[in-house]
Amino acid sequence: MAPLRVARPVTLAATAAATALLLLGSAPVAVAERSGPELNSRLLPIPPGGLHSFVKGLNSSGTVVGEYYVEGSDGPLGIRWNANSPGYTRLAPLPGERFSRAIALSDRGWAVGTSYNSLPNTNPVRWTPGATPTRLTLPAGTRGGNASAVNNSGVVVGDASEESNRSHPLRWQSDGSRIDLPVLPGDDSGTATSINNAGTAVGWTEKRDGTGGPAHPVRWNAAGVVSALPLPAGFAGARTSQITDNGVVFGHGRLAGSTEYDRVLVWAANGSVRDAGRGRGYDVNRAGTAVGASLEDNPNGDTARWNANGTRTVLANPAEAAGEVLAINNRGAAVGYAWPPAGNPALDKALLWKPNGTVVPLPSTPLGPYAAAFAINDAGVIAGFAVGTDGAGNATTWRATVWKR
């Protein structure tokens, strides 16, 4: 299996919020010498025959969803690790299908993802808190679909795809009924990426005519009515990826004349939008603080926090070439990883940044010192994966991991 490089673990349940206790400015902040005794690592168990496992979601109680791979198999199987009980619960594929992939998890235990026999013909699926899978219906004429996010009521958003490469934004109600979400006038394709507990969803719509035109960021209210989100001056389009419970929206924008969605954008709950700068963003909180990798000064990416007041903080990254901050919680703590300046890029170091910006290397796991942290909840539970290596330092094993007190 190839080493994993992050592409924003979808909708990690750590969407949360930083308080006002944030450092300002762009200078790197202090480095902690050690992680301290309060955090311990634990590899999450997998069924017999399993080789690798990965985290995809973490909720407020500390429950984790992800996927594991069995020796000789060419696809994943969904799995849930409950917060307060040992072992695991399989998130089975739909009847007659071989593979399942859990993508997101709500605080009340609803999980969503896909089930399939072969790609790209995936079926969106929702698992109840009791782990029963339910097929989410697709419009006639589509070849497959995805479930991207779920809220505490079990309402799901995602999309369906056509052979023509157009996609349809969709919402499935708690009773399983489907709503085909509208796109903006003039557009013929779209996707819904996130939904909050009030039922407001975000995503984007676009015109798929082969010209490479920009995507238009949108919001659908609880009734399914679509509206365009504003863009900063000089921008041609944007894709939104997340909405918090208080209405903060997060995504990436494209400057006029560019083809790259490489500007981090944050829409406040009042609808105003700010351009946080060039970078790869991965998470935002209720205060509007975003985290990710800044590309302003380093083409590989500096670990960064874009503060709600418009400033940027380049976070300390001990003795590494580049890194990414992947999640931030309501208390302002953030997690991510860094990779070495030379050698195997899978040999990552998992990092925690405290609310004051101090960086803490996370404790080693039973597999060794290499790991990546993907999610953190308000209780300070951290989830990610550990990397095992052979005698030559080559990555051989990836295992879902939690760090907790």
Side-chain angles (χ1 to χ4, degrees), residues 4 92-93 142 265 305 320 323 372:
L4 184 75
T142 56
L265 297 181
R305 183 179 65 210
E320 300 290 348

Side-chain angles (χ1 to χ4, degrees), residues 40-388:
N40 295 289
S41 66
R42 179 168 67 92
L43 298 180
L44 296 173
I46 52 178
L51 291 179
H52 310 292
S53 56
F54 300 97
V55 164
K56 297 294 183 178
L58 167 71
N59 72 10
S60 61
S61 71
T63 296
V64 177
V65 294
E67 61 193 34
Y68 70 100
Y69 290 79
V70 175
E71 185 173 9
S73 175
D74 56 355
L77 290 166
I79 190 169
R80 184 182 72 208
W81 296 277
N82 297 318
N84 300 312
S85 61
Y88 51 81
T89 301
R90 291 180 176 90
L91 298 177
L94 294 167
E97 296 182 339
R98 296 187 298 156
F99 305 120
S100 57
R101 169 162 280 164
I103 297 297
L105 175 70
S106 81
D107 286 337
R108 292 185 181 170
W110 296 95
V112 294
T114 57
S115 173
Y116 62 94
N117 280 318
S118 63
L119 297 173
N121 301 311
T122 57
N123 295 298
V125 60
R126 179 180 62 190
W127 290 274
T128 67
T132 300
T134 300
R135 183 186 300 271
L136 300 172
T137 64
L138 295 172
T142 56
R143 68 180 181 184
N146 300 284
S148 300
V150 59
N151 69 13
N152 282 339
S153 298
V155 180
V156 182
V157 293
D159 60 36
S161 56
E162 296 179 349
E163 294 291 344
S164 64
N165 206 32
R166 292 186 178 92
S167 58
H168 300 272
L170 303 173
R171 184 171 74 203
W172 295 270
Q173 302 293 79
S174 56
D175 64 1
S177 59
R178 189 188 76 243
I179 295 175
D180 298 353
L181 295 171
V183 298
L184 292 176
D187 288 343
D188 59 11
S189 182
T191 185
T193 57
S194 181
I195 186 170
N196 65 15
N197 286 322
T200 303
V202 295
W204 68 85
T205 70
E206 59 192 326
K207 177 73 171 175
R208 288 282 179 91
D209 58 3
T211 62
H216 305 119
V218 299
R219 176 167 45 206
W220 292 274
N221 66 16
V225 177
V226 66
S227 59
L229 290 169
L231 290 170
F235 277 70
R239 297 169 175 164
T240 57
S241 56
Q242 189 177 341
I243 184 170
T244 67
D245 278 342
N246 70 332
V248 172
V249 178
F250 166 68
H252 291 84
R254 170 177 159 179
L255 290 170
S258 172
T259 60
E260 300 296 326
Y261 292 88
D262 58 358
R263 307 289 299 190
V264 176
L265 297 181
V266 179
W267 289 264
N270 65 8
S272 62
V273 60
R274 80 175 194 270
D275 172 16
R278 186 167 175 263
R280 298 185 298 269
Y282 292 106
D283 201 11
V284 74
N285 59 35
R286 287 195 302 256
T289 300
V291 292
S294 173
L295 300 175
E296 297 285 356
D297 307 308
N298 181 350
N300 293 316
D302 287 320
T303 47
R305 183 179 65 210
W306 294 279
N307 303 308
N309 66 358
T311 62
R312 180 189 63 160
T313 299
V314 175
L315 296 167
N317 181 354
E320 300 290 348
E324 297 179 311
V325 190
L326 299 180
I328 185 169
N329 73 9
N330 282 327
R331 301 179 183 275
V335 295
Y337 68 110
W339 58 87
N344 192 326
L347 304 185
D348 300 319
K349 299 291 184 64
L351 300 173
L352 162 70
W353 289 270
K354 294 182 177 181
N356 67 2
T358 301
V359 65
V360 178
L362 291 175
S364 295
T365 76
L367 291 183
Y370 304 115
F374 274 39
I376 182 170
N377 68 12
D378 289 346
V381 176
I382 299 167
F385 66 80
V387 182

